[in-house]
Amino acid sequence: MDRTESAPHIRVEKPLVGAAPSKTTGGPAGPSGDRKRDSRVAAREGELAQLRQTVSSHAVVDQAIGIVVALAGLRAEDGRDVLREISQHTDIKMRHVAELIVEWAQTGHLASDIRHQLERSMTTRATLRPEPG
């Protein structure tokens, strides 16, 4: 492509001769260019949605760890281990276990199998923790 300088720090692109500028990019228009651009935009939107989900998931897990740590007087690493144990013993994804624990802290309702495993895991971790001093 032919490029010219209109100012020392600004580059202006000239379209190819005979090509109509695209409404959004200033480049050649056409079904192929539009499909490629739409595909790239869709891919980026998908990545953004996945990143948002990941951030949300981490926030919920961190909140649940905080609840477990506060209840049992554990370290954060032990709180994460408690969530992992509950997940493994109940065959529920850790993120969903975290959501249920956060909801329990708000409503007071927790399924009995999860409550039993939570109590068991917290008790086990608390007894394994060395006494300070």
Side-chain angles (χ1 to χ4, degrees):
M1 270 188 218
D2 180 29
R3 296 180 185 260
T4 59
E5 300 254 322
S6 60
H9 62 284
I10 300 174
R11 296 178 76 82
V12 178
E13 238 178 74
K14 289 185 179 179
L16 296 173
V17 176
S22 169
K23 293 178 182 173
T24 57
T25 64
S32 177
D34 289 344
R35 279 194 300 272
K36 287 179 183 177
R37 184 185 65 251
D38 290 347
S39 176
R40 287 191 307 266
V41 169
R44 296 302 176 261
E45 287 174 347
E47 290 171 6
L48 181 59
Q50 187 176 14
L51 287 171
R52 285 183 175 147
Q53 177 65 32
T54 300
V55 168
S56 173
S57 178
H58 282 285
V60 170
V61 170
D62 288 343
Q63 290 171 8
I65 290 170
I67 292 166
V68 170
V69 165
L71 286 173
L74 302 174
R75 297 175 306 171
E77 305 87 54
D78 293 329
R80 181 172 294 279
D81 289 341
V82 166
L83 293 183
R84 190 175 300 115
E85 287 173 9
I86 295 168
S87 174
Q88 291 172 348
H89 286 91
T90 60
D91 199 27
I92 299 172
K93 289 188 176 192
M94 192 164 120
R95 178 180 189 272
H96 188 63
V97 168
E99 290 170 345
L100 294 171
I101 289 175
V102 169
E103 183 179 316
W104 168 60
Q106 296 168 345
T107 66
H109 301 287
L110 186 63
S112 61
D113 58 335
I114 296 172
R115 182 186 295 265
H116 173 73
Q117 188 58 48
L118 174 63
E119 290 170 355
R120 183 176 175 193
S121 294
M122 286 191 313
T123 301
T124 301
R125 293 278 169 201
T127 58
L128 294 176
R129 187 171 40 104
E131 291 295 322

